[in-house]
Amino acid sequence: MKLRISGDKLTIASAHMLTRHDKCARLHGHNYQVEVEIEGELDESNMIIDFSIFKSKVGEILVKLDHKILLPQKSEDLNIEMDEKQVIITTCDGRRYRFPKADVELLPLESTTVELLSKYIHDLIKEEYPQFKITIEIAETPTCKVIYSGN
Ligand SMILES: [Zn+2]
């Protein structure tokens, strides 16, 4: 049986840039609408999971990305320098940004495409709930959505 959560509390606003992309190399943002589906057996309470607890747990994962500038730590196209208060980025095409450290979320990714963000968020949820098959859908725009299913 499957259970799906969605809604305003699973919508996050984040900024990012995609190096080597014509338009998306410039810093810009999205309202990412996240939906999460889990598939599993019913427990002794005849539920797959208590969905309010599940929704809270997913919200805890997403809030770390909300109203943040998402930077891919493993990108070979970004030089990332940090001191106590700020993060300084130089891109492969010479753009230079300076952000307050508190505004930035460094992610262990090569890029912050919605595809890699989907897998990243999926894997964090899967760590909490290894017993379920988890599918994540993230709409980056009203007409473009990525769907990722793990095992
Ligand atoms: Zn974008």
Side-chain angles (χ1 to χ4, degrees), residues 32-50:
Y32 294 101
Q33 294 185 311
V34 180
E35 294 187 27
V36 184
E37 187 176 276
I38 60 169
E39 184 173 354
E41 302 300 320
L42 298 185
D43 64 15
E44 61 279 0
S45 310
N46 294 309
M47 295 190 286
I48 301 170
I49 196 169
D50 181 326

Side-chain angles (χ1 to χ4, degrees), residues 14-18 24 26 28-30 32 112-114 140-141:
S14 311
H16 77 154
M17 63 187 87
L18 301 177
C24 297
R26 299 193 292 267
H28 65 281
H30 297 283
Y32 294 101
T112 52
T113 61
V114 67
E140 192 175 65
T141 70

Side-chain angles (χ1 to χ4, degrees), residues 14-30 32 69-72 75-78 89 91-93 95 97 107 109-117 140-141 144 146:
S14 311
H16 77 154
M17 63 187 87
L18 301 177
T19 55
R20 301 184 190 275
H21 188 278
D22 182 29
K23 187 172 71 172
C24 297
R26 299 193 292 267
L27 184 66
H28 65 281
H30 297 283
Y32 294 101
I69 299 150
L70 307 180
L71 293 176
S75 171
E76 293 180 0
D77 293 340
L78 293 182
I89 308 299
T91 68
C92 55
D93 57 3
R95 290 181 168 88
Y97 302 92
L107 302 175
L109 302 173
E110 293 83 37
S111 172
T112 52
T113 61
V114 67
E115 289 87 342
L116 290 187
L117 288 174
E140 192 175 65
T141 70
C144 184
V146 162

Side-chain angles (χ1 to χ4, degrees), residues 2-149:
K2 294 176 182 174
L3 180 146
R4 174 177 285 246
I5 58 171
S6 62
D8 288 348
K9 288 187 176 167
L10 300 182
T11 299
I12 55 172
S14 311
H16 77 154
M17 63 187 87
L18 301 177
T19 55
R20 301 184 190 275
H21 188 278
D22 182 29
K23 187 172 71 172
C24 297
R26 299 193 292 267
L27 184 66
H28 65 281
H30 297 283
N31 291 316
Y32 294 101
Q33 294 185 311
V34 180
E35 294 187 27
V36 184
E37 187 176 276
I38 60 169
E39 184 173 354
E41 302 300 320
L42 298 185
D43 64 15
E44 61 279 0
S45 310
N46 294 309
M47 295 190 286
I48 301 170
I49 196 169
D50 181 326
F51 76 84
S52 62
I53 294 171
F54 182 57
K55 212 167 178 177
S56 296
K57 183 57 78 176
V58 173
E60 282 172 27
I61 290 168
L62 294 178
V63 78
K64 294 175 185 159
L65 311 177
D66 188 29
H67 286 73
K68 291 282 185 76
I69 299 150
L70 307 180
L71 293 176
Q73 217 165 11
K74 292 184 178 175
S75 171
E76 293 180 0
D77 293 340
L78 293 182
N79 181 46
I80 302 175
E81 298 167 70
M82 269 187 289
D83 63 25
E84 279 177 28
K85 292 185 175 169
Q86 56 192 353
V87 178
I88 300 161
I89 308 299
T90 308
T91 68
C92 55
D93 57 3
R95 290 181 168 88
R96 200 164 160 83
Y97 302 92
R98 183 187 303 258
F99 302 116
K101 205 170 183 178
D103 293 6
V104 168
E105 187 67 19
L106 290 170
L107 302 175
L109 302 173
E110 293 83 37
S111 172
T112 52
T113 61
V114 67
E115 289 87 342
L116 290 187
L117 288 174
S118 296
K119 183 176 186 314
Y120 174 69
I121 294 167
H122 169 279
D123 291 351
L124 291 176
I125 298 169
K126 185 74 177 177
E127 275 177 28
E128 298 287 334
Y129 299 100
Q131 70 272 40
F132 297 120
K133 178 178 168 59
I134 294 169
T135 299
I136 184 161
E137 298 187 13
I138 302 183
E140 192 175 65
T141 70
T143 57
C144 184
K145 176 187 273 191
V146 162
I147 301 160
Y148 177 78
S149 290

